[in-house]
Amino acid sequence: GLWTQTGLHWQDVRDRADTWVYTKEGPARGFETSPEAWELVGTERDCRMQRVNFTLNSNPAYGRLPLDSPLTVQAGETRSFL
């Protein structure tokens, strides 16, 4: 799965969200609003991410977003996630 760090924090069940993970080869810049450029690689229903505080000394936890299948990123390859 894809492990991610986020500044979002959902506190209880009503704040959970369905999450989709998209990727594309190369940089994301200029493709943020181009759906045809992105491939859906994972979904998670009722996702709740861990709290991360980037302004204080913190020990952030990482949330897990499962991918539908393994995704290989080659050395030197640029891959974007949305």
Side-chain angles (χ1 to χ4, degrees), residues 10-55:
W10 297 297
Q11 303 227 357
D12 55 38
V13 173
R14 71 173 177 246
D15 294 328
R16 292 181 186 215
D18 294 341
T19 305
W20 296 266
V21 179
Y22 291 86
T23 189
K24 70 174 285 305
E25 290 185 32
R29 187 175 191 163
F31 294 95
E32 297 89 346
T33 60
S34 301
E36 65 280 357
W38 298 90
E39 174 188 0
L40 179 64
V41 294
T43 59
E44 180 70 16
R45 293 193 51 85
D46 295 328
C47 178
R48 182 171 184 254
M49 302 301 286
Q50 301 294 321
R51 170 177 238 150
V52 177
N53 184 339
F54 294 106
T55 60

Side-chain angles (χ1 to χ4, degrees), residues 72-78:
T72 302
V73 179
Q74 301 295 328
E77 177 183 357
T78 299

Side-chain angles (χ1 to χ4, degrees), residues 56-75:
L56 300 173
N57 292 333
S58 67
N59 186 12
Y62 290 84
R64 184 174 188 276
L65 298 173
L67 300 179
D68 295 336
S69 61
L71 181 63
T72 302
V73 179
Q74 301 295 328

